[in-house]
Amino acid sequence: MAQQMQKSGNMHFYYAADSSRGYIDSLNFKVNNEQVNWCFLNDTNDICKIILNKKLLPGKSITISTPFFVEIPGENFSRLGHYGQSYQITQWYPKPAVYDNNGWQYFSYLNQGEFYSEFGKFDVSITLPENYFVAATGVLQNPEELEKIEKKAEETSKILKFNKVENGFPKSSEKYKTLRFVQDSVHDFAWFADKRFHILKGSIELPYSKKKVTTWVYFTNIEGNLWKNAINYVNNGVYYYSKWVGEYPYNQCTAVESALGAGGGMEYPMLTNIGWSGNAQSLENVIVHEVGHNWFYGILGFNERRHPWMDEGINSYYEERYTTEIVKNIGYYSSYNSLMKLLGIKLSNPFDFNKIACDYIARNGSDQPLDNSSENFITENYGIIAYSKGALSMNYLKNYLGTEIYDNCMRNFFNEWKFKHPSPNDLKNSFERCSGKDLSWFFDEILHNVKYSDYKFKKIKLNKKTSVYEFVIKNKGGLNSPLNYSILQNGKTIDSIWVDGFIGKKYFTITNNNFDEVLIDANNQMFEINRNNNQIRKNGILRKIEPLNFKLLGIAENPTKTQIFYSPVVGWNYADGIMPGLLIYNPILPERKFQYRLMPMYGINSKELTGIAFAEYNIYPYTTQLQKLSMFTNLQTFNSYTTKFYNWQKFDLGIMFLFKRKASKPMQQIDAEIKASKIISEYTKSNFLLLNTKIALNNRTKPLPFSCEFNFEFGPDYLKTWLEYKVQINYTNKNKGFSARIFAGAFIYNNNKYIQNNLNLSGTFGYNDYKFSEVFPDRLNSNVSNLWSHQFVKNDGGFTVLNPIYSRNWLTSVNFNAAFPVPLPLSIYLNIATYYNAKTAFDGSIQFPYELGIELNVLKDIFAIYFPITMSSDIKQTNEMFTTTYFAQIRFVLNFSKIVPFKYPNQLPLMF
Ligand SMILES: [Zn+2]
């Protein structure tokens, strides 16, 4: 758990004091009251093996017992913990592993990854101060306590408004009580204790047996006003899951509001823990979802660690079906709705929201197969795939089978397998037997591959002989999954037809000629990755092309339109002056194979056409180590100015490789790029070609995030190579710390005399940016009294004081930075370098310049100002060639390319 949390960027447990982390000890296992040998498994500190003195033969039983002592974690790091005197007692006792037809199933506790436990009868007695209320798995055995709870429930039902401010915890009574809870046919036991609980009691009649189930909610003042109606949510959960999946077998069901370190809610048998919800819709969804887990995690007892989709995916499907069919709104997702509207996306039910999340990872190439063990998902994919993709896939299955057959299959499966730990294969066999259909497209392909449904219209024509319309659909996606198409007349659906999946092309006929278009998946019942090829019209030209749509400031894709977005833009640089222009682009979200951005502008000062044109084509291999291969081109032309205007142009053509992140290191990613750049500069009278090869590793894993980049640059008559390594050590859980950058650069050969391709001690500034790779609003200004001349890029030697020291052989440097432990973004820096020049002005021998100063980091990685304190004499002397004022020594970094989330830096419509 500690390792997984740290690797995914959650440093809460990592930085916690030992004394607050909690532990379990005092284990001493006995079998039938006899001492036995036991040990922890290799490399674990939470899985132990008991070595029986005598063999346990089939059909025989033994009694295993142990004392145990639990120190409750001081904070709620994950699921077990306490928040002041409010206790969340879950995963708190030594649990027997399940022995199923795959053998022993044991694993360590994880935050991202749930459970698999054996069914049994729990008989639990809890002793605690008398004024605590306890919500627990099982049925309370103390009549006098039940009376007290019912009295409390009556009191609570009379409260009209709950005071949101919680005034600490009431003093614990001196007197203690012992509560006993008993329950059969459950596989876990959790309890929550709080002295502040309000309680409500309800009851719900099950749909088939008409059996009554008692329902309870326990909550505090914090969200009391939302919880007033929560009994209805618990009742609805119990009722509709019983109706759709199978009858609830227990006598009661409870939801409790209590602190939670992992997610919005957490399920336990007959009992769910709900964190803070914020609004009624969210509370209803979370309660229904968590109550719903009783059927999958609980009664069916899936191995949710190995097959999280079976629990979260199937359960989310029912939660969303409840929201769609019963609540009839988009539920939990309504809080995102204004954002969605802004993006031009219409949500009509929660499945639409799932589709957005799934499209996002499908279209950027980071998707993973649905049936994966919890720990194999990269952090954000766990939620998107196990929940959203699982729900969406189940919805696809239901739409294909039809609600009636699907519901029959699920109820049949539930009754056949309850309390028996079924596997995905058991689910497949049961559904195939019940529906009479081959469901391998779902259980073999969707579960185990990253393949998508993408059906595409090829053509439509009238068969003159038969007077019947024929059309052809091609399967582009590689997933052999069922297809739904609809025939429309004047926008109204005349017919909607499901056909089994096929590979390649298939011919269809339409007997009734009264239609004007055919749509694939008109009602979002499938999971189509590319909906841009889902429409064909009977008549007209360009029948497969969706109508053109021009939109101001668009963002998101609308598959029923061919969208062209535009926006007026204004750029500025010192030479061109104000540049009015127009940005023309295609949808940005979700990622698409072909993307372009054109931004012609006009410089009012230079009276010249300036601007940028960018296009890329992406390939997502899905199966290999590669997430994305991107071929791109970028053209830009602007001016610079000293005494007259000088035009410059840059044309890039390149390939970028983005490698997949691994679940074991979700915050580490590798990318590589090969780029050819043609650069034409009037000022330096140069016209040359550069070829740059880069490989970079970026690891954001705390506490030691680091990045490493290696470059090769072929230019006219030279080959330059350099390595840059950055590492940060944080002092505390804040982003403050000590950082170091190591740079080493060398020319393998260098006969170039015409461009400033040097390794510069003090980085790149406008004047020597021969590659035009950075955004310098005033690139030729060397007058130190001008503000823009103080802008530089902290590359190469990384020195901050402006000086002309460079190397045409090799240069290496170390830049140290230590943040002051004060609430201001101030740090002290020390730069030390060494370099060598064989034959130039600053040659002779190896030099060791250094400088020391204070950094004001206004915006991390974007805007920082450097105030030098002291420096070696060589820097001081060379700096004095420019100026003698202190102001001239102060320089700043303003990294425009980090401000806007565009991939290639010079595209931002702010300044150039
Ligand atoms: Zn869940």
Side-chain angles (χ1 to χ4, degrees), residues 522-566:
N523 303 311
N524 284 322
Q525 301 188 71
M526 302 165 58
F527 179 7
E528 277 273 291
I529 181 84
N530 176 12
R531 305 180 61 86
N532 279 300
N533 50 20
N534 284 11
Q535 184 181 24
I536 200 161
R537 284 185 296 277
K538 187 167 94 175
N539 301 309
I541 48 160
L542 301 172
R543 292 179 206 184
K544 288 190 284 179
I545 305 288
E546 287 83 15
L548 267 183
N549 171 245
F550 293 92
K551 190 174 186 234
L552 178 69
L553 284 170
I555 295 172
E557 174 181 296
N558 176 350
T560 64
K561 305 241 163 69
T562 300
Q563 296 160 289
I564 298 174
F565 297 155
Y566 64 92

Side-chain angles (χ1 to χ4, degrees), residues 267 289 293 312 315 387:
E267 63 276 11
H289 176 100
H293 272 296
E312 298 298 355
N315 184 38
Y387 292 68

Side-chain angles (χ1 to χ4, degrees), residues 460-463 466-471 485-490 492-497 508-518 537-539:
I460 188 160
K461 68 167 206 274
L462 182 70
N463 185 328
T466 58
S467 296
V468 155
Y469 272 92
E470 288 173 350
F471 62 90
Y485 67 88
S486 299
I487 299 159
L488 284 87
Q489 166 86 313
N490 293 328
K492 270 198 181 151
T493 306
I494 298 169
D495 205 357
S496 179
I497 296 145
F508 297 87
T509 54
I510 303 176
T511 44
N512 181 351
N513 283 356
N514 291 329
F515 74 97
D516 49 28
E517 61 176 338
V518 190
R537 284 185 296 277
K538 187 167 94 175
N539 301 309

